[in-house]
């Protein structure tokens, strides 16, 4: 073990000092003893240098989009330009207090207001609420809106939400939390909706359908207009899971496809560092006839004044104040720096990059869905199975080359799924390096299978017992010896 791989508590030496505070020129205040702790806090005591080395080393143990290529299907791990962070953390934004009056936060409110308009234009919706903290929470808000809409029309029998079996797991989960029964309809092999199965599920108890387009395997739902007509004819509403919007940017808008409600994953499509539970945001957009149901508060503009107000028929508030403000600032800067013309290139480039990889590797990896993919696609393991190398082995071997593994074993439709989403930000050289690496791994899988089977070789820890790591994680300081 390298010295600086130790925990900060192990580096600690009593009375070492790493800070230099100015002398206190305020009067001394005696706090009531019941406000004071009995013992000193057990904090590590290290020099500034030890502290810097500690955190630098910790950061190197992680993998991020700033470390290397990160083609994690379904997650849109695109690069987040630094200017987004820089502007989102300007003191005027970072130090604002949610309880200060609207009159002294007009700039901030204007950004909320304008961002909602940009998102409306980009998606073809009429209004947005920025109240929700994540994609899944946006789904819940959307479903609560669907419920309230039907109930307000005295239609209480609509208790079903249709979800295709290829849907992201959060869709049925959110619908259940919102109190609906789930009707699962079968998908075609390429994850698109099976229209006959859909027709069979339709009746006057259907509240709505949840759909993402392109779907979770990266295929465009080409029958979307027919799906939309069928749902609307039976009195239901159409919900768009906007997590895959990246593929459509500049090309198509869910609002034009007949969707009534949508959530967006700003942390995926509009550039906020995410993963590992990082900050998220799932604003909810609706067509005009639903705008009074939005979760609030929402920013309205009266002549030249911006105010936070709660929509008249709101489903309620879903965050304590105004949602995840820093994610909105980043999305705003991202949209403004790119501008309409460049945003229109995102979808086509993301799609081009995915198809470039797919076509370059399909002679080595099984391609179960042969049609044109959108921003992501799925391989089903190696074509040559003679040495029994699995998707897991390939994913682990990629780590040795400094490449993050694609999403593996999802979707469940295929036994060796390897789901690849390069995003639009990668250069041709990076894509070529990935293709070359995958080709080397495919070749080694046949001619030198042990090196793939035993991978990774160059990482801080080797192959973990994944079930044990998930069920029995050692996260306590005392157990550190067991890690080494
Ligand atoms: C990521 C994702 C979600 C969930 O979004 P969170 O922000 O993680 O809650 C929902 N649907 C699809 C298709 C996704 O890819």
């Amino acid at each position: 073990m390298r010295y600086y791989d130790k925990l900060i508590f192990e580096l600690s030496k009593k009375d070492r000092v790493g800070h230099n505070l100015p002398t206190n020129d305020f009067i001394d205040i005696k706090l009531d003893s019941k406000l004071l702790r009995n013992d000193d806090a057990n904090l590590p005591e290290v020099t500034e240098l030890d502290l810097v080395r500690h955190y630098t080393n910790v950061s190197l143990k992680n993998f991020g989009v700033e470390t290397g290529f990160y083609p994690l299907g379904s997650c849109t791990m695109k690069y987040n330009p630094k200017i987004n962070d820089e502007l989102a953390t300007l003191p005027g934004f970072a130090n604002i207090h949610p309880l200060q009056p609207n009159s002294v936060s007009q700039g901030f409110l204007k950004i909320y207001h304008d961002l909602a308009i940009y998102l409306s234009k980009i998606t073809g919706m009429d209004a947005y609420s920025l109240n929700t903290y994540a994609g899944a929470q946006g789904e819940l808000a959307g479903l609560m809106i669907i419920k309230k809409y039907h109930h307000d029309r005295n239609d209480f029998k609509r208790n079903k939400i249709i979800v295709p079996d290829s849907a992201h797991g959060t869709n049925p989960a959110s619908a259940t939390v919102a109190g609906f029964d789930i009707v699962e309809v079968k998908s075609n092999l390429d994850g698109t909706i099976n229209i006959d199965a859909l027709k069979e599920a339709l009746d006057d108890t259907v509240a709505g359908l949840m759909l993402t387009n392109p779907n979770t395997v990266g295929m465009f739902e080409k029958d979307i207009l027919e799906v939309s007509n069928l749902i609307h004819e039976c009195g239901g509403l159409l919900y768009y899971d906007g997590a895959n919007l990246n593929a459509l940017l500049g090309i198509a808008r869910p609002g034009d496809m007949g969707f009534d409600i949508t959530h967006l994953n700003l942390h995926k499509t509009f550039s906020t560092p995410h993963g590992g539970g990082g900050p998220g945001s799932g604003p909810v957009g609706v067509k005009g006839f639903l705008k009074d149901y939005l979760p609030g508060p929402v920013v309205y503009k009266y002549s030249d004044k911006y105010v936070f107000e709660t929509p008249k028929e709101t489903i309620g508030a879903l965050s304590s104040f105004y949602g995840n403000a820093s994610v909105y600032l980043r999305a705003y800067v991202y949209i403004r720096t790119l501008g309409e013309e460049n945003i229109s290139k995102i979808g086509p480039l993301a799609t081009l990059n995915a198809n470039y990889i797919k076509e370059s590797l399909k002679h080595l990896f099984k391609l179960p869905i042969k049609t044109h993919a959108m921003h992501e696609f799925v391989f089903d393991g190696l074509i040559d199975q003679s040495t029994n190398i699995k998707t897991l082995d390939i994913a682990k071997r990629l780590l040795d080359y400094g490449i993050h593994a694609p999403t593996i074993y999802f979707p469940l439709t295929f036994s060796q799924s390897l789901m690849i989403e390069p995003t639009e930000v990668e250069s041709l050289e990076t894509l070529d390096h990935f293709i070359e690496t995958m080709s080397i791994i495919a070749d080694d899988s046949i001619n030198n299978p042990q090196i793939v089977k035993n991978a990774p070789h160059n990482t801080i820890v080797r192959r973990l017992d994944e079930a044990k790591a998930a069920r029995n994680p050692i996260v306590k300081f005392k157990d550190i010896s067991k890690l080494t």
Side-chain angles (χ1 to χ4, degrees):
M1 185 199 215
R2 296 178 312 176
Y3 183 68
Y4 283 99
D5 282 342
K6 291 183 177 196
L7 295 183
I8 187 96
F9 282 95
E10 292 173 297
L11 296 174
S12 175
K13 286 278 169 301
K14 193 161 169 33
D15 297 333
R16 276 253 159 108
V17 177
H19 61 264
N20 184 11
L21 295 177
T23 44
N24 179 12
D25 48 8
F26 294 98
I27 49 162
D28 271 339
I29 299 213
K30 284 259 171 299
L31 288 177
D32 192 304
S33 65
K34 71 172 187 288
L35 296 173
L36 298 173
R37 48 190 311 144
N38 296 326
D39 307 302
D40 285 345
N42 179 21
L43 298 175
E45 296 172 274
V46 293
T47 63
E48 179 175 328
L49 177 59
D50 281 340
L51 188 76
V52 168
R53 286 194 179 142
H54 169 72
Y55 280 110
T56 304
N57 278 289
V58 166
S59 79
L60 295 175
K61 290 195 172 73
N62 209 346
F63 191 99
V65 76
E66 291 168 17
T67 318
F69 186 42
Y70 205 139
L72 191 68
S74 188
C75 295
T76 315
M77 303 304 285
K78 66 166 85 174
Y79 174 65
N80 314 284
K82 292 293 164 228
I83 190 170
N84 301 352
D85 289 326
E86 193 148 333
L87 295 187
T89 48
L90 285 178
F93 293 134
N95 298 335
I96 207 163
H97 194 282
L99 291 178
Q100 71 190 50
N102 289 340
S103 60
V104 295
S105 352
Q106 286 291 294
F108 204 95
L109 269 69
K110 175 177 161 49
I111 285 178
Y112 263 66
H113 177 264
D114 291 358
L115 179 63
I117 293 179
Y118 298 156
L119 298 178
S120 299
K121 280 195 183 153
I122 288 170
T123 55
M125 307 307 281
D126 295 316
Y128 266 86
S129 163
L130 309 183
N131 209 244
T132 35
Y133 285 130
Q137 204 189 19
E139 292 171 25
L140 177 63
L143 289 153
M144 289 166 75
I145 291 173
I146 293 179
K147 188 171 232 179
K148 195 150 197 292
Y149 165 79
H150 291 306
H151 285 188
D152 280 3
R153 295 159 66 250
N154 289 322
D155 189 348
F156 294 97
K157 61 189 176 309
R158 295 186 183 270
N159 60 351
K160 288 187 195 136
I161 290 288
I162 302 179
V163 180
D165 63 2
S166 64
H168 193 267
T170 50
N171 290 187
S174 306
T176 304
V177 173
F180 287 107
D181 296 333
I182 313 295
V183 181
E184 200 178 82
V185 294
K186 271 212 112 22
S187 305
N188 301 313
L189 178 69
D190 62 359
T192 55
I193 280 219
N194 183 311
I195 296 286
D196 292 331
L198 175 64
K199 283 182 181 159
E200 266 172 44
L202 293 177
D203 60 31
D204 65 359
T205 64
V206 169
L209 167 78
M210 297 180 87
L211 202 63
T212 185
N213 193 13
N215 62 27
T216 47
V217 286
M219 294 294 138
F220 189 80
E221 189 70 63
K222 58 187 185 322
D223 295 326
I224 184 59
L225 293 178
E226 185 176 0
V227 170
S228 163
N229 285 338
L230 287 169
I231 292 296
H232 288 138
E233 272 164 20
C234 95
L237 296 181
L238 197 56
Y239 183 89
Y240 182 68
D241 174 340
N244 292 340
L245 182 72
N246 210 50
L248 299 186
L249 282 178
I251 298 296
R253 307 190 307 170
D256 302 331
M257 300 174 198
F259 287 97
D260 304 294
I261 309 174
T262 169
H263 85 260
L264 303 181
N265 295 57
L266 293 189
H267 43 294
K268 292 177 181 168
T269 315
F270 294 99
S271 168
T272 277
H274 71 289
S281 165
V284 203
V286 290
K287 285 286 174 61
F289 70 103
L290 297 171
K291 71 179 187 329
D292 290 338
Y293 293 113
L294 283 173
V298 169
V299 175
Y300 295 94
K301 187 179 182 193
Y302 297 110
S303 64
D304 58 351
K305 280 207 174 48
Y306 299 94
V307 282
F308 268 121
E309 263 178 27
T310 300
K312 286 197 281 296
E313 302 297 329
T314 186
I315 54 160
L318 286 169
S319 58
S320 40
F321 287 104
Y322 310 120
N324 232 338
S326 78
V327 181
Y328 296 126
L329 289 162
R330 288 184 177 90
Y332 179 87
V333 178
Y334 181 69
I335 291 172
R336 290 298 302 259
T337 42
L338 285 179
E340 197 171 335
E341 189 193 332
N342 289 313
I343 285 181
S344 300
K345 293 179 187 158
I346 294 178
L349 281 176
T351 302
L352 179 63
N353 284 357
N355 283 283
Y356 180 69
I357 295 176
K358 170 170 82 72
E359 292 302 310
S360 305
L361 287 172
K362 68 178 186 190
H363 61 294
L364 296 171
F365 295 86
K366 258 191 254 173
L367 184 66
I369 304 169
K370 305 241 170 348
T371 44
H372 185 69
M374 297 289 291
H375 63 307
E376 60 191 357
F377 67 94
V378 188
F379 282 136
D380 188 13
L382 281 166
I383 288 177
D384 187 334
Q385 284 291 320
S386 59
T387 51
N388 205 23
I389 293 291
K390 301 289 184 211
T391 278
L392 179 69
D393 307 317
I394 296 163
K396 295 293 182 195
R397 186 62 179 143
L398 277 170
L399 306 182
D400 283 334
Y401 288 90
I403 295 173
H404 195 284
T407 293
I408 58 173
Y409 300 108
F410 178 84
L412 307 175
T413 340
F414 312 108
S415 73
Q416 292 300 316
S417 288
L418 193 66
M419 189 179 192
I420 298 171
E421 179 183 10
T423 83
E424 72 282 2
V425 298
E426 302 297 343
S427 67
L428 182 60
E429 291 72 25
T430 303
L431 301 181
D432 281 340
H433 175 253
F434 176 69
I435 290 163
E436 192 191 319
T437 308
M438 288 288 275
S439 306
I440 293 171
I441 295 174
D443 186 69
D444 279 344
S445 296
I446 310 310
N447 299 314
N448 189 7
Q450 282 316 313
I451 201 166
V452 184
K453 265 260 165 273
N454 297 327
H457 304 271
N458 310 333
T459 46
I460 291 168
V461 286
R462 298 285 304 274
R463 204 176 279 212
L464 299 172
D465 178 336
E466 301 197 343
K468 213 167 154 206
R471 296 213 181 111
N472 239 338
I474 303 168
V475 291
K476 283 204 307 263
F477 173 50
K478 283 208 183 83
D479 289 326
I480 184 67
S481 58
K482 293 187 192 151
L483 283 175
T484 49

